[in-house]
Amino acid sequence: MEKQKKTNDDVLEPPINFSMVEDGIFRSGFPQPANFPFLRSLNLRSIIYLCPEPYPEENLEFLRSQNIQLLQFGIEGKTDPAILIPNDTILEALKILIDVRNHPVLIHCKRGKHRTGCLVGCLRKFQNWCLSSVFEEYQRFAGVKSRPTDLRFIEAFDMMRLRQCLYSIIYQYQGYGSNKRRLVYRDENLQKPQTMKV
């Protein structure tokens, strides 16, 4: 009996709708305490949380214990088509997502379907995926709850804003003959994510 209990404790249970997006980028629904051992195995550096609700204290304690940075972008969950996804918020989340200094990173919302699907869909557009493949991936996770408004948002999202931001990053060398580089953003007037000290 003791041996069987130990075997069950060794099973790593991923959060709902968990998947690898790219090397160092993962997506899922909201992690539960039973998922913490699995998340520990990913050696996460950051979590991009796309809901406006406060992060539960139990989850915050886990993040603190693992030295994981929480970056919250409060996007309202919506079923009303009149409520639009904020372009600037997705743009800021994308800037965090493509910065390898934040990897390995987990993106999640409540179920890992709509808000997460929109962010991943915009990432895929940035990666020059064809729109039909972007939509297919979104629908694979959203299932019957797929929202036409989300698909329209992804289709209409202006990638040039992200590309212009990336083009504005310049490398400045510190002193003569130094090979040390640092990234400097010229575009600092956009909304910043809510970073929580954990």
Side-chain angles (χ1 to χ4, degrees), residues 19 25 44 46 85 89 91 111 115 119 134 153 165 171:
S19 183
I25 302 175
L44 295 173
S46 308
I85 296 171
T89 305
L91 179 64
R111 298 272 174 219
R115 289 169 276 199
L119 181 58
V134 173
F153 172 83
C165 174
Y171 290 101

mmCIF file of all heavy atoms in Angstrom, residues 19 25 44 46 85 89 91 111 115 119 134 153 165 171:
data_model
loop_
_atom_site.group_PDB
_atom_site.id
_atom_site.type_symbol
_atom_site.label_atom_id
_atom_site.label_comp_id
_atom_site.label_asym_id
_atom_site.label_seq_id
_atom_site.Cartn_x
_atom_site.Cartn_y
_atom_site.Cartn_z
ATOM 1 N N SER A 19 0.064 22.569 -23.058
ATOM 2 C CA SER A 19 0.763 22.205 -24.284
ATOM 3 C C SER A 19 2.033 23.045 -24.403
ATOM 4 O O SER A 19 2.119 24.141 -23.859
ATOM 5 C CB SER A 19 -0.126 22.456 -25.504
ATOM 6 O OG SER A 19 0.531 22.035 -26.687
ATOM 7 N N ILE A 25 8.336 27.947 -24.293
ATOM 8 C CA ILE A 25 7.033 28.611 -24.153
ATOM 9 C C ILE A 25 5.952 27.540 -24.012
ATOM 10 O O ILE A 25 5.841 26.650 -24.856
ATOM 11 C CB ILE A 25 6.705 29.519 -25.362
ATOM 12 C CG1 ILE A 25 7.787 30.589 -25.551
ATOM 13 C CG2 ILE A 25 5.328 30.164 -25.199
ATOM 14 C CD1 ILE A 25 7.596 31.457 -26.786
ATOM 15 N N LEU A 44 10.384 26.878 -14.773
ATOM 16 C CA LEU A 44 9.879 28.148 -15.279
ATOM 17 C C LEU A 44 10.627 29.338 -14.689
ATOM 18 O O LEU A 44 10.999 29.330 -13.523
ATOM 19 C CB LEU A 44 8.389 28.296 -14.964
ATOM 20 C CG LEU A 44 7.452 27.306 -15.632
ATOM 21 C CD1 LEU A 44 6.036 27.461 -15.091
ATOM 22 C CD2 LEU A 44 7.467 27.486 -17.140
ATOM 23 N N SER A 46 9.157 32.524 -15.718
ATOM 24 C CA SER A 46 8.062 33.502 -15.703
ATOM 25 C C SER A 46 6.727 32.834 -15.977
ATOM 26 O O SER A 46 6.663 31.796 -16.628
ATOM 27 C CB SER A 46 8.273 34.574 -16.784
ATOM 28 O OG SER A 46 9.540 35.143 -16.712
ATOM 29 N N ILE A 85 -10.991 42.728 -26.983
ATOM 30 C CA ILE A 85 -9.693 42.439 -26.373
ATOM 31 C C ILE A 85 -8.817 43.673 -26.580
ATOM 32 O O ILE A 85 -8.744 44.192 -27.694
ATOM 33 C CB ILE A 85 -9.049 41.209 -27.032
ATOM 34 C CG1 ILE A 85 -9.905 39.974 -26.761
ATOM 35 C CG2 ILE A 85 -7.629 40.993 -26.526
ATOM 36 C CD1 ILE A 85 -9.485 38.759 -27.541
ATOM 37 N N THR A 89 -2.702 45.708 -24.608
ATOM 38 C CA THR A 89 -2.387 44.691 -23.597
ATOM 39 C C THR A 89 -1.773 43.463 -24.256
ATOM 40 O O THR A 89 -0.774 42.915 -23.768
ATOM 41 C CB THR A 89 -3.648 44.317 -22.803
ATOM 42 O OG1 THR A 89 -4.207 45.511 -22.243
ATOM 43 C CG2 THR A 89 -3.335 43.343 -21.686
ATOM 44 N N LEU A 91 -0.209 43.432 -27.115
ATOM 45 C CA LEU A 91 1.105 43.862 -27.607
ATOM 46 C C LEU A 91 2.144 43.799 -26.495
ATOM 47 O O LEU A 91 3.252 43.277 -26.689
ATOM 48 C CB LEU A 91 1.023 45.287 -28.177
ATOM 49 C CG LEU A 91 2.329 45.861 -28.705
ATOM 50 C CD1 LEU A 91 2.834 45.071 -29.907
ATOM 51 C CD2 LEU A 91 2.154 47.333 -29.067
ATOM 52 N N ARG A 111 -9.094 28.881 -18.404
ATOM 53 C CA ARG A 111 -9.209 27.557 -19.029
ATOM 54 C C ARG A 111 -8.150 27.296 -20.092
ATOM 55 O O ARG A 111 -8.082 26.196 -20.626
ATOM 56 C CB ARG A 111 -10.597 27.393 -19.666
ATOM 57 C CG ARG A 111 -11.718 27.460 -18.668
ATOM 58 C CD ARG A 111 -11.993 26.097 -18.118
ATOM 59 N NE ARG A 111 -12.969 26.157 -17.049
ATOM 60 C CZ ARG A 111 -12.895 25.431 -15.960
ATOM 61 N NH1 ARG A 111 -11.902 24.607 -15.782
ATOM 62 N NH2 ARG A 111 -13.812 25.528 -15.034
ATOM 63 N N ARG A 115 -8.379 33.735 -24.007
ATOM 64 C CA ARG A 115 -7.340 34.762 -23.838
ATOM 65 C C ARG A 115 -5.968 34.203 -24.202
ATOM 66 O O ARG A 115 -5.205 34.826 -24.947
ATOM 67 C CB ARG A 115 -7.355 35.293 -22.402
ATOM 68 C CG ARG A 115 -8.575 36.142 -22.105
ATOM 69 C CD ARG A 115 -8.736 36.435 -20.639
ATOM 70 N NE ARG A 115 -9.414 35.328 -19.964
ATOM 71 C CZ ARG A 115 -10.007 35.416 -18.792
ATOM 72 N NH1 ARG A 115 -9.991 36.555 -18.127
ATOM 73 N NH2 ARG A 115 -10.610 34.378 -18.252
ATOM 74 N N LEU A 119 -3.476 35.296 -27.472
ATOM 75 C CA LEU A 119 -2.061 35.655 -27.369
ATOM 76 C C LEU A 119 -1.199 34.716 -28.213
ATOM 77 O O LEU A 119 -0.329 35.165 -28.961
ATOM 78 C CB LEU A 119 -1.605 35.644 -25.904
ATOM 79 C CG LEU A 119 -0.151 36.023 -25.661
ATOM 80 C CD1 LEU A 119 0.172 37.418 -26.196
ATOM 81 C CD2 LEU A 119 0.194 35.919 -24.175
ATOM 82 N N VAL A 134 -3.150 29.160 -37.873
ATOM 83 C CA VAL A 134 -3.358 29.881 -36.609
ATOM 84 C C VAL A 134 -4.756 29.571 -36.080
ATOM 85 O O VAL A 134 -4.926 29.245 -34.900
ATOM 86 C CB VAL A 134 -3.175 31.406 -36.809
ATOM 87 C CG1 VAL A 134 -3.549 32.166 -35.538
ATOM 88 C CG2 VAL A 134 -1.751 31.737 -37.230
ATOM 89 N N PHE A 153 -10.206 39.099 -34.003
ATOM 90 C CA PHE A 153 -9.157 39.863 -33.328
ATOM 91 C C PHE A 153 -7.779 39.423 -33.815
ATOM 92 O O PHE A 153 -6.931 40.253 -34.153
ATOM 93 C CB PHE A 153 -9.249 39.694 -31.809
ATOM 94 C CG PHE A 153 -8.088 40.305 -31.084
ATOM 95 C CD1 PHE A 153 -8.066 41.656 -30.799
ATOM 96 C CD2 PHE A 153 -6.990 39.532 -30.717
ATOM 97 C CE1 PHE A 153 -6.984 42.239 -30.164
ATOM 98 C CE2 PHE A 153 -5.904 40.103 -30.080
ATOM 99 C CZ PHE A 153 -5.900 41.461 -29.795
ATOM 100 N N CYS A 165 8.330 48.056 -32.667
ATOM 101 C CA CYS A 165 8.907 48.077 -31.321
ATOM 102 C C CYS A 165 10.232 47.332 -31.309
ATOM 103 O O CYS A 165 11.217 47.807 -30.733
ATOM 104 C CB CYS A 165 7.929 47.465 -30.332
ATOM 105 S SG CYS A 165 8.602 47.289 -28.692
ATOM 106 N N TYR A 171 21.269 48.122 -29.797
ATOM 107 C CA TYR A 171 22.348 47.674 -28.925
ATOM 108 C C TYR A 171 23.283 48.841 -28.712
ATOM 109 O O TYR A 171 23.740 49.453 -29.664
ATOM 110 C CB TYR A 171 23.110 46.515 -29.576
ATOM 111 C CG TYR A 171 22.319 45.254 -29.638
ATOM 112 C CD1 TYR A 171 21.707 44.857 -30.817
ATOM 113 C CD2 TYR A 171 22.169 44.461 -28.516
ATOM 114 C CE1 TYR A 171 20.971 43.701 -30.882
ATOM 115 C CE2 TYR A 171 21.436 43.298 -28.582
ATOM 116 C CZ TYR A 171 20.840 42.927 -29.757
ATOM 117 O OH TYR A 171 20.105 41.784 -29.811
#
